[in-house]
Amino acid sequence: MATDNRKKGCPNPDCRLHVKQVKQASDFNYCPNCGTKTIYVCRRCFCQLPDTEERRSLCEQCETELEEKRQERNENVKTAAHKGAGAISSAARTIKLFAKELFGPDELEQIRGGEEFREKLIDRNIRR
């Protein structure tokens, strides 16, 4: 059986646990301070949640805010990935231009890359 992660709080505005917005486990039925029957509360803003079969721990407003933040974070990650890909492709272009300048276009077509490219690059730098 799944555990109930919802939180309960004291609805009595005169109780110090209500003023401090202390959240208790869902198996607390009465406030330990004043004895008032506890209610389900939002885990972020402490507003009252309806006691339904649906096991929600956030109110509609907090859920919407979190979803917007998730979407914004995903967009930021996508934007950063595009910027990173642009930097990588510009670095690859720079290396290609450097290799063309170092070897010349005819010799560069004969080199297939990988180990052979590194060996030729080392040879060229040692000879200079």
Side-chain angles (χ1 to χ4, degrees), residues 83-109:
K83 287 180 182 176
I88 290 171
S89 66
S90 98
R93 276 188 247 120
T94 304
I95 292 170
K96 190 174 181 181
L97 288 173
F98 173 72
K100 273 186 181 177
E101 189 177 299
L102 186 63
F103 296 118
D106 298 331
E107 192 177 350
L108 187 62
E109 285 188 25

Side-chain angles (χ1 to χ4, degrees), residues 48-71:
Q48 182 176 356
L49 293 176
D51 185 15
T52 59
E53 291 294 320
E54 190 178 339
R55 295 184 179 259
R56 292 176 40 200
S57 60
L58 293 173
C59 65
E60 296 273 335
Q61 184 179 3
C62 290
E63 218 168 76
T64 305
E65 287 174 10
L66 280 178
E67 186 59 35
E68 287 173 359
K69 284 183 182 179
R70 269 190 213 111
Q71 289 175 353

